[in-house]
Amino acid sequence: MSLSLRFAAGSHKGMIREGNEDSGYAGPRLLAIADGMGGQAAGEVASSEVISTLVTLDDDVPGSDLLTSLGTAVQRANDQLRAMVEEDPQLEGMGTTLTALLWTGQRLGLVHVGDSRAYLLRDGVLTQITQDHTWVQRLVDEGRITEEEATTHPQRSLLMRALGSAEHVEPDLSIREVRAGDRYLICSDGLSGVVSHQTLEETLASYQGPQETVQELIQLALRGGGPDNITVIVADVLDLDTGDTLAGQLSDQPVVVGAVAENQHHLHDNGIMQTPAGRASHLGRRQQPGHGGGEFGPPGSGDTTGYVPAGGFDEWADGDFTKPRGRRRWLKRSLYSALALAVVGGGLYGGYQWTQTQYYVGAKGEHVALYRGISQDLAWVSLSKVEKDHPEIELKYLPPYQQKQVKNTITAGGLQQAQAKIEALSVQASACKKQAERQAAKSQQNAKPGQGQAGGTTGTTRTAFTSKATTTPTPHPSGSAPATKNPSKPPSASATPNPGPSLSEDEQKVVDQCGKQ
């Protein structure tokens, strides 16, 4: 069996974004999409650099070295982004996702960082084969929200991993066995975040070829509002030995789409991208003469699909999605870059602001504190801080189950709910503390003079709880009896024992919880 990939790729800036920060590459062995974000030069620099660095993988790769080759290339791309930021601090905050498939002829190596996605359609069933590295996906994995809630969550664009965000990157790497008839989809979230899983499945399962399928998927995303850049790669696994006429009709020439194609000349002129981008641009398929006059699509249109002729989007003309460019665009990006310095990726500033409206109760050392934010860190950015310390609520006086809850953090949402939880913990801790003191006082009252080990040393309380408010009575000079409240009266059997501190009405309601596991 002689298997081969036949593919198509397309990219569109969408209906709202002023430029395209996605980059895509489809070749005989490498399929890759990067969704860039952040930085003064915007994400097109990051996505272009990563894709052009990976282009060298589009050669014969021994099967045993598949994942090693992918992992090394990804780390090299990450190092390049970090070096660019060091050379030009204005690029601070830029980063990119990456989802790529590397083909050996019988197997595919998959590398994934971020929230771009890869899907497999096999026997008519579509399966997502990557997992989003987002805050919302973590909430889903922990069972804190549902998949449906994740689609509308205000933090759904908050990335937990991205290339360029840290010195070392931890991509997901895996090997996939392939079959003739498999169809793979790689896309940026401009498609997956707009078009439902069911619609994706129905479109991919149709009898259209890769190019027609890519075109239809982009149209679906545009009709869904096109709020983000849209980049799509569709690849079919074909058995060349069957004499399939479709295999002979489809081209296996490399295709470069998105920012890496659109901005190659601009980046060359500014010295930002040199050999890697040139390498990618020479491999790309050029636009046919008469279809817009540009090598990779109509200049300035943002439509860099690499194969769709002018008017190929039916009623969606290029002018419908074009906004004036110029100095105003760079002024806006300069403003946005200042907001993106503390977080990774486009749209993260709004997510960070949302986190600062949240509150939770947690431990600070050996006592309780009220925190503002969420109990997670994003790369080097802490998403929480102490709003108010409560050293008076000591963990040791809370029941064990509540100690565990506080150490694991108690999400409270708004400030009022958090303060109510703090108040409840304060009452509980106070009740348990007083209970311990009452037990200590009772033990002292029951202690017999000169009892030694059986009853405890005179004047000493043996109990599992301690309190700074509890004082140790001074032993009687004779060593025969402890001091009493009224020294003028000798102790007697009818003397009223000291019950210890009294409990308030609220404390009486919760004192039975003390010591509860």
Side-chain angles (χ1 to χ4, degrees), residues 191-215:
L191 175 68
S192 59
V194 176
V195 182
S196 70
H197 186 96
Q198 181 179 353
T199 302
L200 291 177
E201 183 177 74
E202 293 172 353
T203 305
L204 290 165
S206 68
Y207 292 99
Q208 297 183 101
Q211 291 187 0
E212 293 78 12
T213 303
V214 167
Q215 181 177 345

Side-chain angles (χ1 to χ4, degrees), residues 36-255:
M37 65 204 78
Q40 182 176 359
E44 64 261 22
V45 175
S47 66
S48 297
E49 182 64 30
V50 168
I51 292 298
S52 57
T53 300
L54 262 67
V55 164
T56 56
L57 294 176
D58 200 14
D59 295 315
D60 291 340
V61 178
S64 60
D65 294 338
L66 190 57
L67 295 187
T68 301
S69 299
L70 278 170
T72 301
V74 170
Q75 186 59 55
R76 185 169 64 248
N78 189 71
D79 293 342
Q80 178 63 18
L81 293 184
R82 302 293 294 173
M84 293 171 69
V85 172
E86 289 181 5
E87 293 174 5
D88 184 0
Q90 290 184 326
L91 297 178
E92 180 69 39
M94 79 171 180
T96 183
T97 70
L98 173 66
T99 301
L101 291 169
L102 185 58
W103 168 250
T104 66
Q106 295 294 329
R107 298 186 302 169
L108 280 170
L110 171 63
V111 62
H112 170 66
V113 180
D115 64 349
S116 297
R117 291 182 177 179
Y119 294 86
L120 168 63
L121 181 76
R122 176 175 287 175
D123 299 328
V125 178
L126 185 67
T127 305
Q128 183 180 334
I129 58 176
T130 55
Q131 184 177 44
D132 296 346
H133 296 148
T134 60
W135 168 247
V136 166
Q137 184 61 47
R138 177 177 291 186
L139 296 180
V140 172
D141 295 340
E142 294 175 353
R144 296 166 67 177
I145 62 173
T146 65
E147 290 280 2
E148 291 182 354
E149 290 172 335
T151 60
T152 57
H153 196 283
Q155 280 186 289
R156 59 186 177 276
S157 297
L158 188 65
L159 291 180
M160 305 302 292
R161 279 192 246 173
L163 292 180
S165 64
E167 184 175 351
H168 296 286
V169 63
E170 297 181 6
D172 292 343
L173 292 163
S174 61
I175 294 287
R176 304 200 64 84
E177 299 295 333
V178 298
R179 299 181 192 171
D182 285 350
R183 168 167 278 191
Y184 287 89
L185 165 68
I186 306 178
C187 64
S188 61
D189 62 344
L191 175 68
S192 59
V194 176
V195 182
S196 70
H197 186 96
Q198 181 179 353
T199 302
L200 291 177
E201 183 177 74
E202 293 172 353
T203 305
L204 290 165
S206 68
Y207 292 99
Q208 297 183 101
Q211 291 187 0
E212 293 78 12
T213 303
V214 167
Q215 181 177 345
E216 183 173 351
L217 289 172
I218 292 177
Q219 287 189 50
L220 288 170
L222 291 172
R223 290 169 181 168
D228 202 352
N229 306 144
I230 311 154
T231 303
V232 182
I233 295 174
V234 173
D236 291 336
V237 180
L238 303 177
D239 184 359
L240 301 181
D241 295 338
T242 61
D244 190 341
T245 56
L246 178 61
Q249 294 173 359
L250 297 176
S251 172
D252 60 357
Q253 293 299 308
V255 183

Side-chain angles (χ1 to χ4, degrees), residues 446-467:
N446 293 334
K448 295 180 180 180
Q451 196 171 13
Q453 290 297 328
T457 304
T458 304
T460 302
T461 303
R462 297 175 62 89
T463 177
F465 297 93
T466 60
S467 170

Side-chain angles (χ1 to χ4, degrees), residues 359-372 385-398 406 410 412 414-430 433 468:
Y359 294 86
Y360 69 92
V361 178
K364 184 184 178 187
E366 298 301 320
H367 58 267
V368 174
L370 172 61
Y371 289 84
R372 181 177 181 178
K385 61 182 179 181
V386 175
E387 179 73 10
K388 187 175 181 181
D389 203 3
H390 288 275
E392 74 280 5
I393 309 177
E394 297 180 76
L395 287 175
K396 64 183 179 180
Y397 289 118
L398 292 174
V406 172
I410 304 173
L415 179 59
Q416 290 184 346
Q417 295 94 319
Q419 290 173 334
K421 189 61 182 178
I422 288 287
E423 179 62 26
L425 291 173
S426 178
V427 171
Q428 182 68 72
S430 177
K433 181 177 181 180
K468 292 180 181 178

